Amino acid sequence: MMLIVLILFGTFVYVSMWQGLSTSIDDSIKFSTSQAIAAVNIENGQINFSDSLPESSTADLREKGFTIRILSTNGNILQSVGPFHNLIIDHTSIQNALNRISSFNTIKINDLESIRVYTAPIIENQTIIGIIQVMQSLATLHETLDRLLLMMLISIPLLLLITAFSGYILAARALSPIDQITKTAQRISTEDLSARLNLHNSDDEIGRLANTFDSMLSRLEEGFSRERQFTSDASHELRTPLAAMQAILSVTRGKQRSPEEYETAMDDLMEETSRLRALTEDLLYIARGDSRPITSYEKVDLSNLLNDMSESLRPLAESNGLLLKQNIQNKLYIFGNSDALIRAFVNLIDNAIKYTEHGEIIVDAKKNEKNIIEISISDTGRGIDQEHLTHIFDRFYRVDESRTTQGFGLGLSIVQEIVKAHKGTITVTSQIQKGSTFHIFFTGDDKEK
Ligand code: ADP
């Protein structure tokens, strides 16, 4: 491309230089001709044949290298001064001059030199009394053009070399991060996602691409490790009831047992299987939720749903010596999935019952003027320490002391997912030994249907 551009540019410069110089030579010959005509010795309307061109009046022109020739109307040379006075006479231009047309022509005297000749009629009182020819060598013009050509022949390859070299260096510099990206991408596998590009210094397209790539890797790594953690936690949780069942079975099988002992063993086994069932259900729910988000949404009467749930959980609360109160506004509607919502609220109220020794649980629901429905479930239980508060929504996270109570640490993470699927938010406030309150915010559904 560069070669083509340089050749086109060079040709343009050469041609315009040639044309410009030629025109200026022609102009100067024309001007000198008018000077020479003024110097021609004319007497009584005729050219003085013996001394048609007085030397004194043409000295200046001769000094500039012009050759001047005076011819009679029949083409004979009357007088000529200057270096090319013997130059052959071109008859066409003489004929043109006799027809009152001034003309230029170029005559080659050898391989190296050409002469530019201007032929014009000398007119006195409307009649042609002679012909004048003024000529100049084109040697300087050719010399200048040759020098220009030489300069171009040297500078064009030089420029090409410089361009190619610097282009190569620039391209290599600009593309080297891409090379790095490729190499890093090749190093990455699902086992090791820790590789990063770390091109933080450059704020150009490549730098931004590298940053995006790095943050995508971080997200992937986080996702993968969460997934791995989940699998290992899940297997761990599954192992505990299975090991317990195995122990019960092997102890019972150890020797002959009484029917009462078999019954106790069966009861223990039943307890463990129900634990296993609950855990598998939670796991299944999470696995499904991850791959298949809730799809069927409808208008849900939240007031009814919360009232019904409180009623059905009241016996459980009372059997634990707790009061369950409700303070639920009427006609609270949201756009949602009632099965998922029931699951979320059951989890929260169930937790409140599990983690409260005495006192009360209050289910409260109201809507503010901005159409935000706030549901709070508060208890007077053991509370959650600040350091655990940020983690309780993580999968399998359980506050240590609560290991004694039943549960797998999946409940709150399921609640959070359900709330998020309903475009809501969940927060928690808690004071140790005083109680905890879970707040859920949803946007109300005002539509008639
Ligand atoms: P779990 O199956 O252990 O109840 P969750 O995800 O429901 O799992 O809860 C996570 C942890 O948060 C629990 O182990 C418990 O320590 C704490 N927690 C949840 N709800 C309450 C509550 N109302 N009061 C005190 N602690 C709570």
Side-chain angles (χ1 to χ4, degrees), residues 154-189:
I154 295 173
S155 58
I156 288 181
L158 207 72
L159 267 173
L160 265 183
L161 265 177
I162 294 172
T163 320
F165 184 67
S166 46
Y168 176 80
I169 294 198
L170 274 180
R173 258 191 68 155
L175 296 181
S176 80
I178 296 205
D179 212 30
Q180 210 174 323
I181 295 181
T182 314
K183 284 193 188 125
T184 314
Q186 281 165 349
R187 255 202 350 256
I188 291 165
S189 64

Side-chain angles (χ1 to χ4, degrees), residues 33 36-37 40 68-71 118-122 130-134:
T33 308
I37 289 177
V40 172
I68 305 160
R69 253 185 345 199
I70 305 290
L71 291 95
Y118 184 61
T119 311
I122 304 171
I131 293 161
I132 186 165
Q133 284 194 314
V134 178

Side-chain angles (χ1 to χ4, degrees), residues 56 83 91 152 200 282 415:
S56 55
H91 291 286
M152 282 185 191
H200 298 303
D282 277 353
V415 173

Side-chain angles (χ1 to χ4, degrees), residues 117-271:
V117 183
Y118 184 61
T119 311
I122 304 171
I123 298 168
E124 181 77 11
N125 295 332
Q126 309 292 334
T127 43
I128 301 173
I129 54 169
I131 293 161
I132 186 165
Q133 284 194 314
V134 178
M135 32 194 128
Q136 196 181 30
S137 161
L138 292 177
T140 21
L141 167 81
H142 287 145
E143 218 173 89
T144 315
L145 287 177
D146 285 352
R147 214 177 307 134
L148 179 69
L149 191 66
L150 184 74
M151 256 168 56
M152 282 185 191
L153 287 179
I154 295 173
S155 58
I156 288 181
L158 207 72
L159 267 173
L160 265 183
L161 265 177
I162 294 172
T163 320
F165 184 67
S166 46
Y168 176 80
I169 294 198
L170 274 180
R173 258 191 68 155
L175 296 181
S176 80
I178 296 205
D179 212 30
Q180 210 174 323
I181 295 181
T182 314
K183 284 193 188 125
T184 314
Q186 281 165 349
R187 255 202 350 256
I188 291 165
S189 64
T190 46
E191 277 70 47
D192 179 21
L193 285 167
S194 62
R196 295 287 180 279
L197 294 168
N198 290 329
L199 291 180
H200 298 303
N201 294 336
S202 52
D203 185 33
D204 51 11
E205 288 79 358
I206 306 249
R208 283 193 291 276
L209 171 69
N211 281 343
T212 314
F213 192 77
D214 276 353
S215 51
M216 183 192 77
L217 277 178
S218 304
R219 285 197 303 274
L220 277 180
E221 190 181 19
E222 207 178 290
F224 268 89
S225 76
R226 221 181 23 230
E227 216 57 31
R228 218 170 284 148
Q229 184 66 36
F230 177 67
T231 320
S232 99
D233 288 345
S235 341
H236 183 81
E237 291 294 336
L238 284 169
R239 223 168 46 184
T240 320
L242 283 174
M245 285 161 85
Q246 215 170 16
I248 296 167
L249 284 172
S250 67
V251 168
T252 318
R253 284 277 287 142
K255 58 176 184 187
Q256 191 72 29
R257 304 273 175 189
S258 66
E260 291 75 35
E261 282 175 316
Y262 279 125
E263 226 166 82
T264 322
M266 297 275 263
D267 285 346
D268 290 347
L269 279 179
M270 191 111 121
E271 206 175 291

Side-chain angles (χ1 to χ4, degrees), residues 379-419:
D379 59 54
T380 53
R382 63 175 77 162
I384 308 160
D385 203 357
Q386 284 300 317
E387 59 170 313
H388 300 295
L389 266 189
T390 45
H391 299 292
I392 53 165
F393 293 104
D394 295 349
R395 287 174 185 175
F396 293 109
Y397 192 87
R398 307 194 69 205
V399 179
D400 247 2
E401 295 148 80
S402 62
R403 291 271 171 208
T404 44
T405 49
Q406 278 219 348
F408 312 102
L410 289 175
L412 286 181
S413 74
I414 292 177
V415 173
Q416 193 181 39
E417 263 164 48
I418 293 171
V419 172

